[in-house]
Amino acid sequence: MSLSMYSASVPVLKQMLTALSAVLAKAEAHATEKKIDPNALLGARLFPDMFPLVRQVQIAADFAKGISSRLSNTEVPSWPDNPQAGFAELQELLTKALAHVDSFSAEQFEGSESREIVLRPGTPKEKKLLGNVYLLQYGLPQFFFHVTTSYAILRHNGVEIGKRDYMGSY
């Protein structure tokens, strides 16, 4: 039995987006309980040259919508990012990303392993990858990097979360 591109992407993206949403809810509750300005967490970084939490969450959502759209051969929706987004806006973004990822059927992913995926078309950074390479060597690693960094920022800032929170339900 082979693993389908749909099975290797959509359930994984949904699991991790749902877990990230729950982690953000715990972060917001932590800020309220400890009387911490939410912007202190939303703007937190692991290191000065890294993106803050807000941007990490936005990029994770961008990769989720991009992966599912490209592999299903549909247009990647454009959602504006707000660098001053609060917890409520990030939750709305994750809800929208989850709905988008959940809107695809397994049939839409058929043949995507050998479909050419073009990233940044028409630019000097244009890159062409086969669908299986795009998913396994680019899309999922990028997605996990930003989800993990979001978790690490919050954990580093005292939010009481652990591996079960990161993993979510599976």
Side-chain angles (χ1 to χ4, degrees):
M1 182 169 109
S2 64
L3 181 66
S4 72
M5 293 289 283
Y6 177 89
S7 294
S9 59
V10 170
V12 175
L13 296 169
K14 288 171 50 177
Q15 173 187 337
M16 299 309 294
L17 287 173
T18 301
L20 182 56
S21 176
V23 164
L24 287 178
K26 285 188 173 192
E28 184 174 24
H30 173 81
T32 301
E33 178 186 321
K34 303 288 185 186
K35 297 181 178 26
I36 298 170
D37 179 359
N39 292 318
L41 293 178
L42 295 164
R45 304 166 187 257
L46 288 178
F47 199 75
D49 69 350
M50 294 180 76
F51 288 126
L53 175 65
V54 167
R55 189 73 186 115
Q56 298 291 346
V57 172
Q58 291 167 340
I59 295 171
D62 286 345
F63 270 98
K65 74 178 177 181
I67 290 167
S68 56
S69 296
R70 287 183 182 100
L71 292 178
S72 66
N73 203 25
T74 59
E75 182 94 18
V76 179
S78 177
W79 303 335
D81 291 324
N82 175 5
Q84 270 70 52
F87 283 111
E89 288 174 284
L90 291 179
Q91 290 290 6
E92 289 171 16
L93 174 64
L94 292 177
T95 298
K96 188 165 42 169
L98 273 162
H100 180 74
V101 169
D102 203 30
S103 72
F104 296 104
S105 67
E107 292 75 31
Q108 290 176 279
F109 284 65
E110 289 178 7
S112 64
E113 63 279 351
S114 59
R115 181 179 304 123
E116 184 177 70
I117 306 293
V118 181
L119 303 173
R120 298 179 178 140
T123 71
K125 291 185 174 184
E126 180 175 295
K127 191 162 189 91
K128 296 178 182 180
L129 304 167
L130 289 180
N132 64 343
V133 173
Y134 165 73
L135 175 64
L136 299 173
Q137 296 177 24
Y138 180 78
L140 285 178
Q142 291 276 355
F143 173 73
F144 277 110
F145 175 85
H146 294 286
V147 170
T148 302
T149 303
S150 298
Y151 167 88
I153 288 169
L154 294 171
R155 184 70 184 100
H156 178 74
N157 280 277
V159 178
E160 294 180 19
I161 49 178
K163 188 175 182 179
R164 284 186 184 177
D165 298 298
Y166 171 79
M167 292 293 296
S169 298
Y170 51 93

